[in-house]
């Protein structure tokens, strides 16, 4: 069973649909026991960092995410919330990844919206994916590059398109909206041991 | 590098895909879910569904269709047509759409844009602008292109950006259905004037037209309907072009 963490951030339906299309069972839940018992956990999110963190804390979900031992995937805002700090609402985040999240300087259109490719792809998440493949991004804030970066995207500046540390995985892009390439990345995550 | 987006648009009428020329003379073009799946396979970057009947009675039919589309396709999609309130938006987003497109309701009450942006994020709000060059000026039209307003297109798009719109879908009614190319002048002017993505729409007839609009304007994407529905331009060929 795959658990998708339910909190005050949108985009949950499309993640759920994507997982079901891959033939996996999933549930959207904020129940601690169910999340702990899941094979994999997905921490999705479209929304605003400060209000999302506030909600997570109020419901004890911040400590729960930090204590998870199974493969856990943060998507979009999920990745940003797994970093140390976000400039959006000057928010202290979960601190799984040692990156700071900042707003893109407006030298180009912000948000970074649309299909972009990535470089320096590392690890199991990107098995079968090349740096010519495109994935779908929609975001105004980005996580900088750190030792945990496993994919780099360039828009205005280079940033972390994906990160990994221990059992924690995260993507700034939306695999659930990235056609066949995204499907492969999600499948790679779901097949992790 | 961020890619320019190719966006097929599906006009929906009573659950079927249709296409008119110059906003009238409607032809049937098939089942929207089948067509959407075909476009995804062919490499479309995004899809837009516009409910052109857009009455209150068929709100439920539309959200059921949106749910079906969301289950079947794995690329971003926008839904528009007759969206008047935050409740309408919520229904469509919860059904699985990534963005909503509003048009007449934004002209009637520009605050709606701000309200949607606050509740769901700017990235979710596409404002469709139907514009026509008439008496030496680009003017905004509403109600599916039937009613002219007093708004100048250039003033309106700046106001949209300030109100929190995430994207502008700019349709030139002079070009729509004519297959003579996008309106490069107004698309160029609008894409220079605002700092949000502009999607060019109306007039695509050949692959050259797509190249032109990306070369001569700062448009982030280009939208077309009939040339994709009837297979006149295959998307995979266009994307390689």
């Amino acid at each position: 069973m795959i658990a998708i963490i339910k909190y005050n951030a949108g985009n949950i339906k499309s993640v759920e649909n994507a997982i079901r299309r891959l033939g996996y069972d999933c549930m959207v839940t904020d129940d601690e026991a169910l999340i702990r018992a899941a094979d994999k956990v997905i921490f999705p999110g479209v929304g605003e960092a400060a209000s999302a963190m506030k909600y997570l804390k109020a419901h004890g979900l911040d400590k729960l995410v930090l204590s998870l031992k199974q493969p856990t995937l943060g998507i979009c805002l999920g990745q940003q919330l797994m970093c140390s700090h976000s400039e959006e609402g000057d928010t202290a985040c979960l601190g799984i990844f040692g990156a700071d999240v900042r707003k893109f300087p407006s030298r180009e259109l912000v948000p970074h919206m649309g299909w972009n490719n990535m470089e320096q792809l590392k690890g199991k998440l990107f098995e079968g994916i090349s740096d010519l493949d495109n994935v779908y991004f929609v975001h105004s804030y980005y996580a900088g590059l750190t030792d945990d970066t496993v994919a780099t995207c360039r828009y205005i500046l280079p940033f972390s398109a994906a990160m990994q540390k221990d059992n924690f995985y995260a993507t700034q892009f939306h695999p659930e909206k990235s056609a066949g390439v995204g499907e492969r990345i999600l499948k790679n995550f779901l097949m992790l041991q | 590098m961020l890619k320019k987006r190719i966006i097929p648009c599906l006009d929906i009428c009573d659950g079927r895909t249709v296409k008119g020329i110059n906003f009238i003379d409607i032809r049937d073009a098939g089942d929207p879910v089948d067509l959407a799946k075909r476009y995804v396979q062919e490499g479309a970057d995004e899809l837009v569904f516009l409910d052109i009947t857009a009455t209150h009675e068929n709100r439920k039919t539309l959200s059921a269709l949106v749910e079906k589309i969301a289950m079947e396709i794995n690329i971003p999609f926008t839904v528009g047509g007759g969206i008047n309130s935050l409740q309408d938006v919520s229904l469509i987003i919860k059904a699985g759409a990534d963005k909503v497109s509003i048009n007449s309701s934004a002209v009637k009450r520009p605050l709606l844009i701000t309200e949607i942006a606050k509740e769901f994020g700017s990235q979710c709000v596409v404002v469709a602008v139907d514009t026509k060059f008439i008496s030496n000026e680009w003017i905004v039209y509403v109600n599916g292109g039937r009613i002219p307003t007093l708004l100048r297109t250039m003033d309106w798009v700046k106001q949209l950006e300030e109100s929190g719109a995430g994207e502008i879908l700019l349709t030139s009614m002079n070009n729509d259905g004519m297959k003579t190319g996008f309106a490069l002048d107004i698309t160029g002017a609008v894409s220079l004037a605002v700092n949000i993505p502009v999607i060019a729409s109306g007039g695509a007839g050949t692959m050259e037209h797509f190249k032109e609009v990306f070369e001569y304007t700062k448009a982030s994407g280009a939208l077309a309907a009939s040339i994709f529905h009837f297979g006149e331009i295959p998307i995979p060929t266009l994307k390689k072009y």
Side-chain angles (χ1 to χ4, degrees):
Chain A
M1 177 64 69
I2 313 299
I4 301 173
I5 299 180
K6 181 177 166 186
Y7 69 114
N8 65 334
N11 188 38
I12 283 170
K13 187 98 184 180
S14 49
V15 176
E16 195 186 342
N17 283 333
I19 291 169
R20 289 194 201 283
R21 275 194 301 266
L22 287 168
Y24 288 81
D25 253 351
C26 68
M27 61 168 87
V28 177
T29 178
D30 56 3
D31 182 277
E32 180 171 345
L34 288 175
I35 294 171
R36 281 200 194 288
D39 300 320
K40 307 273 176 347
V41 177
I42 296 191
F43 181 42
V46 170
E48 195 268 328
S51 61
M53 269 316 290
K54 202 169 145 192
Y55 183 97
L56 291 175
K57 278 187 182 159
H59 294 77
L61 292 169
D62 56 334
K63 292 200 179 78
L64 173 64
V65 171
L66 283 171
S67 68
L68 291 174
K69 297 285 177 260
Q70 62 273 62
T72 298
L73 175 68
I75 298 175
C76 194
L77 181 66
Q79 167 172 295
Q80 298 180 6
L81 295 178
M82 284 175 162
C83 294
S84 312
H85 179 268
S86 174
E87 206 172 82
E88 188 176 29
D90 188 15
T91 307
C93 299
L94 298 171
I96 294 165
F97 306 120
D100 274 342
V101 175
R102 295 184 201 282
K103 185 156 191 177
F104 277 119
S106 54
R107 289 198 293 272
E108 302 270 349
L109 299 185
V110 176
H112 172 219
M113 185 197 282
W115 296 79
N116 210 333
N117 61 322
M118 305 173 286
E119 303 162 15
Q120 290 163 294
L121 303 170
K122 288 176 210 156
K124 289 206 168 129
L125 213 51
F126 294 106
E127 245 170 41
I129 306 295
S130 97
D131 54 10
L132 293 174
D133 288 323
N134 292 302
V135 289
Y136 187 78
F137 291 87
V138 188
H139 59 127
S140 299
Y141 291 80
Y142 69 94
L145 301 179
T146 74
D147 293 345
D148 305 324
T149 303
V150 292
T152 302
C153 178
R154 287 174 193 278
Y155 184 73
I156 302 178
L157 38 76
F159 67 88
S160 291
M163 306 177 90
Q164 194 221 321
K165 188 178 186 180
D166 308 324
N167 58 318
F168 293 102
Y169 296 75
T171 64
Q172 178 59 65
F173 59 90
H174 289 278
E176 78 281 11
K177 285 285 161 187
S178 298
V181 172
E183 218 157 68
R184 177 69 200 262
I185 294 167
L186 265 185
K187 200 171 178 193
N188 286 343
F189 171 75
L190 294 171
M191 285 171 63
L192 287 169
Q193 291 303 314
Chain B
M1 199 185 66
L2 186 66
K3 309 303 178 302
K4 299 289 187 182
R5 287 176 269 157
I6 302 292
I7 309 172
C9 175
L10 291 82
D11 286 346
I12 308 291
C13 180
D14 300 326
R16 297 283 292 174
T17 316
V18 293
K19 179 59 191 170
I21 294 171
N22 277 69
F23 281 59
I24 44 169
D25 183 21
I26 285 167
R27 280 167 83 180
D28 188 278
D31 175 62
V33 180
D34 287 347
L35 201 51
K37 278 164 79 175
R38 193 187 97 199
Y39 288 144
V40 173
Q41 275 165 12
E42 290 179 354
D45 296 313
E46 214 168 301
L47 296 173
V48 172
F49 298 86
L50 289 181
D51 180 12
I52 61 169
T53 38
T55 56
H56 266 292
E57 303 84 75
N58 69 20
R59 289 291 85 179
K60 278 197 183 126
T61 323
L62 180 64
S63 75
L65 178 63
V66 173
E67 262 181 48
K68 217 169 133 197
I69 294 163
M71 269 193 275
E72 300 272 359
I73 74 163
N74 53 9
I75 62 170
F77 70 97
T78 302
V79 175
I83 294 171
N84 287 307
S85 66
L86 216 48
Q87 289 92 304
D88 290 342
V89 175
S90 179
L91 196 68
I92 299 293
I93 297 290
K94 284 196 181 124
D98 299 280
K99 311 177 193 179
V100 293
S101 165
I102 57 173
N103 188 339
S104 310
S105 55
V107 173
K108 239 177 272 164
R109 204 169 69 83
L111 196 61
L112 180 62
I113 301 165
T114 315
E115 290 171 2
I116 303 171
K118 259 206 171 137
E119 180 86 16
F120 301 97
S122 275
Q123 84 289 336
C124 215
V125 199
V126 180
V127 182
V129 177
D130 293 334
T131 183
K132 194 172 185 177
F133 191 67
I134 195 157
S135 317
N136 247 344
E137 236 172 354
W138 286 98
I139 297 294
V140 176
Y141 276 65
V142 291
N143 285 44
R146 284 186 287 269
I147 302 171
T149 68
L150 297 174
L151 290 166
R152 280 198 200 94
T153 302
M154 291 309 292
D155 298 337
W156 179 231
V157 295
K158 281 177 205 157
Q159 193 188 336
L160 294 179
E161 182 181 22
E162 281 162 24
S163 307
E167 205 161 65
I168 292 171
L169 170 58
L170 184 71
T171 302
S172 160
M173 294 170 56
N174 303 75
N175 301 56
D176 191 59
M178 304 303 285
K179 301 188 181 178
T180 50
F182 294 97
L184 297 178
D185 47 356
I186 189 66
T187 308
V190 170
S191 60
L192 271 178
V194 297
N195 204 29
I196 54 178
V198 173
I199 309 301
S201 155
T206 65
M207 293 197 279
E208 177 70 24
H209 294 150
F210 287 88
K211 192 177 163 197
E212 235 171 44
V213 79
F214 293 138
E215 255 176 30
Y216 297 118
T217 80
K218 288 182 75 186
S220 302
L223 177 139
S226 54
I227 54 158
F228 297 138
H229 301 340
F230 301 114
E232 289 162 48
I233 297 184
I235 296 172
T237 319
L238 175 61
K239 288 196 75 175
K240 274 182 213 134
Y241 178 67

